Amino acid sequence: MSQSSKPPERSTPVPTPRSVPTSADVARLAGVSRATVSYVLNNAAAVRISEPTRRKVRQAAEELGYVPHAAARSLRAGHTRIVLLPAPEDPVGPRHSAFLNELQQALRRLDYTVVQYGSLGLSGGAAARAWAELRPVAVVCLGRIALSAHDVDTLKRAGARAVITMGPARVTGAHALITDQAEVGARAAAHLLERGCRRIGVVVPAEEGPALFAGARLEGARAAARGAARPAVPAPGPPVRPCAGGADSGPGVVPLAMASTEESAGELAGRWRSLGLDGVFAYDDEYAALLMRALLDAGLRIPEDVAVIGADDLLLGRLLRPRLSTVRIEMPTGEQLAELVDRAVREPAGTADRHGRVAATAVHRDST
Amino acid sequence: MSQSSKPPERSTPVPTPRSVPTSADVARLAGVSRATVSYVLNNAAAVRISEPTRRKVRQAAEELGYVPHAAARSLRAGHTRIVLLPAPEDPVGPRHSAFLNELQQALRRLDYTVVQYGSLGLSGGAAARAWAELRPVAVVCLGRIALSAHDVDTLKRAGARAVITMGPARVTGAHALITDQAEVGARAAAHLLERGCRRIGVVVPAEEGPALFAGARLEGARAAARGAARPAVPAPGPPVRPCAGGADSGPGVVPLAMASTEESAGELAGRWRSLGLDGVFAYDDEYAALLMRALLDAGLRIPEDVAVIGADDLLLGRLLRPRLSTVRIEMPTGEQLAELVDRAVREPAGTADRHGRVAATAVHRDST
DNA sequence: TTGAAAGCGGTACCAG
DNA sequence: CTGGTACCGCTTTCAA
């Protein structure tokens, strides 16, 4: 069925075992039962098999190129060791990708099967159902996909013993690692304010990918600016009019749309002087690099005329001149997260609905 | 077997459906047989089910949060729609990661289940066996993992109808997309030679990750330099002594070890004048950026004193001043590759052992 | 229109 | 020490 253009009658002793070999084939070739094959190949401790038999079985398996069928095995076992890692959707930075690799290695050492399952263009619900079909023992949801409490429930009902999210918000039923994007914005704004800026621009990417983070980062910056206006008081009295642009009292924050292209950056830089800004938080280091380049080309001095800060501490930032200030997110190491997963799997009750917070800190270089 | 510490006698109608619901549970709740459930949930065309029954089944499934068990399904079906995509191991560039996403999307549209299966620290053989356990219908092997002919055979025996590799070499039995890293080196060297360089350095990353490509890129540069020495003649007469460094005849190529850090780049730049080089191919844009930065800081002029070229055409290169010349690899689009996969799956005989070649071209900017 | 039952590949009990 | 066998959850004939 799969070989079509073949000499029809070649009496080949070995090289034509079409269709995938099963443990029954191995058993037949070795002259034993399927049970024995299973025992031998899994080094079953509870049963003792004679050395000659083992040898026969091993050799038969080798000869047939036998590989066990993961689906059958896990069906029988009633559970898998699959840790599902929804694959990142948009270009992630090198830091993030190094982190993913660490995590994978660490999970593998703990004998989990790491499966990155792409779910681009699926809504949370559809994604959760698709994931649940694989019956993963744990799901680590890093990316943009926002899981609802119901989605978490779907996964748990399908046997997932741990659901861990890493994102801006808590999710009911899951263990949330909160990467507070608002704090990133707040740190950036605070840093600019400390260095004397009064009117701050915040770049909001035009691309859809970064959108989720962008809103939170902007809000964080706004909150920091408001906080600086009325220092340290947790907003008593009438609620502040929710950020009309901030041209009135205290330091102002103005959002700036920009795409991740030289053209867009150039356009923004072209009308910079009319904006009257003395500092800018450029969403991340890549946008910051683009914008800084364009501002320099437009004849502005950095940081004298305008201070620029990015985020995510990419290598890029250190290669530019002036060196780019940034906000670094203190991600847990892959090992730490792997250990968390393992603990959650062993003791699901202990970790559900808990949450931790990952810190962000401003790194001062030359651009601010 | 899976619930142990439970109150033994709580007569709960709905809210305690511990252990994952199966199609039998749905059937029971809906008051029909498992067969009917299967028909309804799969919209079986060959059989007509009454509308009331469909409704009952759907509702029961919904109520229980039923999700079919992928393993059981594919076990029964005898095949999967899994396309295995060995996950990249080391930080890949944004271009590469955008390509991966495209590929995933396109495959999903063709109704494949994309699974990235990390295999860090596994040898080719072990990796192939691990992959084979999942019985993928196709394997697309992009990364560093070198598959042997035997590994390909293992996968095919396990039912893979297509194995596609993308790397520096052909692999017997697989459809190879040859990204000729040697050509990248050759293009870079040729570009430098055209622009008048006579003694060319080639950066060889100290890191383990890029090692596989680095060797080929270096060799390509050497070949180009040799070609320039004896123009266009395909080496008649006695075989040339295989590259002793090339201080004697024609343009020379000297390998330069360097790590991906500012320190290492600085160290290399520090002893630059003693090397007597007038051009350098810096492995890729990132290394090139580091080195160029260090060279500028050491007081050298680019491109007057030394021409610098990178590879992979990262955004980074356009943000630096001078703008970085580079070698761009013309990757197929994700859509194209997905289509290739699909074709190979439908018609395995047609594509095995074929191969294509992806091109590389030098992009001239300001640094050369 | 629906139900009963076989069987996909492996594992693990129990009997010999 | 080894073989027979009953499942795991799902699809798909074949009968009713």
Side-chain angles (χ1 to χ4, degrees):
Chain A
M1 182 228 266
S2 88
Q3 80 283 41
S4 44
S5 54
K6 276 242 144 192
E9 276 309 308
R10 271 229 280 151
S11 76
T12 38
V14 180
T16 334
R18 268 306 162 260
S19 88
V20 331
T22 73
S23 78
D25 296 324
V26 177
R28 209 170 305 125
L29 183 58
V32 299
S33 74
R34 286 162 62 211
T36 307
V37 171
S38 176
Y39 291 142
V40 171
L41 296 183
N42 296 322
N43 292 314
V47 75
R48 294 178 40 75
I49 307 278
S50 71
E51 199 46 47
T53 304
R54 305 183 94 95
R55 219 184 301 288
K56 274 192 303 184
V57 170
R58 293 228 162 80
Q59 187 183 332
E62 177 71 23
E63 192 171 324
L64 293 176
Y66 168 72
V67 175
H69 193 310
R73 190 198 300 248
S74 68
L75 180 57
R76 172 65 223 222
H79 63 257
T80 70
R81 296 278 294 172
I82 291 178
V83 175
L84 203 65
L85 213 53
E89 301 169 28
D90 9 61
V92 292
R95 283 174 61 82
H96 195 258
S97 114
F99 165 73
L100 275 182
N101 289 334
E102 252 183 52
L103 176 58
Q104 278 196 46
Q105 296 243 42
L107 285 171
R108 179 178 318 286
R109 275 194 293 275
L110 293 169
D111 198 38
Y112 290 100
T113 296
V114 179
V115 170
Q116 287 195 40
Y117 189 112
S119 346
L120 293 162
L122 269 58
S123 70
R129 234 166 303 125
W131 301 343
E133 291 195 358
L134 297 181
R135 299 288 190 269
V137 69
V139 177
V140 181
C141 191
L142 281 334
R144 319 218 163 289
I145 296 162
L147 244 37
S148 72
H150 183 257
D151 299 334
V152 173
D153 192 53
T154 300
L155 289 168
K156 294 233 164 147
R157 298 258 275 252
R161 292 170 65 85
V163 178
I164 295 175
T165 63
M166 194 155 145
R170 279 178 70 160
V171 180
T172 312
H175 186 128
L177 284 174
I178 300 170
T179 54
D180 195 346
Q181 300 298 328
E183 189 175 345
V184 174
R187 295 284 179 190
H191 177 81
L192 291 172
L193 293 167
E194 274 167 26
R195 303 198 62 80
C197 299
R198 298 296 293 170
R199 281 188 45 86
I200 294 173
V202 173
V203 168
V204 178
E207 285 80 10
E208 200 175 326
L212 192 68
F213 288 2
R217 288 185 178 186
L218 172 59
E219 280 316 314
R222 279 181 166 144
R226 278 199 300 274
R230 276 163 281 87
V233 183
V240 179
R241 185 161 45 94
C243 47
D248 36 31
S249 72
V253 166
V254 349
L256 305 166
M258 177 186 138
S260 177
T261 62
E262 290 181 272
E263 295 70 36
S264 180
E267 187 274 328
L268 179 55
R271 59 191 170 86
W272 194 262
R273 290 176 205 274
S274 71
L275 293 166
L277 302 171
D278 53 7
V280 59
F281 164 49
Y283 178 67
D284 75 2
D285 285 354
E286 207 164 283
Y287 287 85
L290 280 161
L291 180 56
M292 188 163 79
R293 182 73 263 158
L295 290 172
L296 288 171
D297 289 348
L300 285 110
R301 292 168 307 158
I302 294 175
E304 293 80 3
D305 298 331
V306 49
V308 179
I309 186 167
D312 298 345
D313 193 20
L314 305 184
L315 173 63
L316 170 59
R318 269 161 287 168
L319 298 175
L320 303 171
R321 294 296 181 276
R323 286 185 173 82
L324 187 61
S325 295
T326 192
V327 176
R328 179 190 305 159
I329 299 176
E330 311 289 356
M331 302 265 279
T333 66
E335 277 80 7
Q336 289 168 334
L337 186 48
E339 209 182 314
L340 172 61
V341 170
D342 190 47
R343 232 179 310 133
V345 166
R346 304 171 108 93
E347 200 57 71
T351 47
D353 260 321
R354 311 209 30 190
H355 63 284
R357 183 169 289 275
V358 316
T361 53
V363 178
H364 178 220
R365 297 210 182 97
D366 312 327
S367 68
T368 50
Chain B
M1 186 225 264
S2 89
Q3 79 283 45
S4 45
S5 54
K6 277 248 136 190
E9 277 309 308
R10 269 230 281 155
S11 76
T12 39
V14 179
T16 333
R18 268 305 161 264
S19 85
V20 329
T22 73
S23 77
D25 296 324
V26 177
R28 208 170 306 127
L29 183 58
V32 299
S33 76
R34 287 159 62 212
T36 307
V37 171
S38 177
Y39 290 142
V40 171
L41 297 184
N42 295 324
N43 291 315
V47 75
R48 295 177 38 76
I49 307 277
S50 70
E51 198 47 47
T53 305
R54 305 184 94 95
R55 218 186 302 289
K56 273 191 304 185
V57 170
R58 293 228 163 81
Q59 186 182 333
E62 177 70 23
E63 192 171 324
L64 294 176
Y66 168 72
V67 174
H69 193 307
R73 179 186 301 209
S74 67
L75 182 57
R76 173 65 227 232
H79 60 91
T80 70
R81 296 277 295 171
I82 292 178
V83 174
L84 203 65
L85 212 53
E89 302 169 25
D90 8 63
V92 290
R95 282 175 62 81
H96 194 258
S97 116
F99 165 72
L100 275 182
N101 290 334
E102 252 183 51
L103 176 58
Q104 277 195 48
Q105 296 243 43
L107 284 171
R108 177 179 318 287
R109 274 194 295 274
L110 292 169
D111 198 39
Y112 291 101
T113 297
V114 179
V115 171
Q116 287 195 40
Y117 188 112
S119 345
L120 293 161
L122 267 59
S123 70
R129 234 166 301 125
W131 300 343
E133 292 195 0
L134 297 181
R135 298 288 189 269
V137 70
V139 178
V140 180
C141 191
L142 281 335
R144 317 220 163 290
I145 295 163
L147 242 39
S148 70
H150 183 257
D151 298 334
V152 173
D153 192 54
T154 300
L155 290 168
K156 294 236 164 146
R157 300 258 276 248
R161 292 169 65 84
V163 178
I164 294 175
T165 63
M166 194 155 148
R170 280 178 68 162
V171 179
T172 310
H175 186 127
L177 284 175
I178 301 171
T179 55
D180 195 347
Q181 299 299 325
E183 189 174 346
V184 173
R187 295 284 179 189
H191 178 81
L192 291 173
L193 292 167
E194 274 167 26
R195 304 199 61 80
C197 299
R198 297 297 294 171
R199 281 186 48 85
I200 295 173
V202 173
V203 168
V204 178
E207 284 81 8
E208 200 175 326
L212 190 67
F213 288 1
R217 289 184 178 188
L218 173 58
E219 281 315 315
R222 278 181 167 144
R226 276 200 301 274
R230 274 164 284 88
V233 183
V240 179
R241 184 161 44 94
C243 52
D248 35 31
S249 72
V253 166
V254 347
L256 304 166
M258 177 186 138
S260 176
T261 62
E262 291 182 271
E263 294 70 37
S264 181
E267 188 274 329
L268 179 54
R271 61 192 170 85
W272 194 261
R273 290 177 205 274
S274 71
L275 293 168
L277 301 171
D278 53 7
V280 59
F281 165 48
Y283 178 67
D284 75 3
D285 285 354
E286 208 164 284
Y287 287 85
L290 280 161
L291 180 56
M292 189 162 81
R293 184 72 262 157
L295 290 172
L296 289 170
D297 289 348
L300 285 108
R301 291 169 307 157
I302 294 174
E304 294 81 2
D305 298 331
V306 49
V308 180
I309 187 169
D312 296 346
D313 193 19
L314 304 184
L315 172 65
L316 169 59
R318 269 161 289 169
L319 299 175
L320 303 171
R321 294 296 181 274
R323 286 185 173 83
L324 187 61
S325 295
T326 192
V327 176
R328 180 191 304 157
I329 299 176
E330 310 289 355
M331 302 265 278
T333 67
E335 278 80 7
Q336 288 168 335
L337 187 47
E339 209 183 313
L340 173 61
V341 170
D342 190 46
R343 232 179 310 132
V345 166
R346 302 171 109 92
E347 201 56 69
T351 47
D353 259 320
R354 309 209 32 188
H355 63 286
R357 183 170 289 276
V358 316
T361 53
V363 178
H364 179 221
R365 297 207 184 98
D366 311 327
S367 68
T368 49

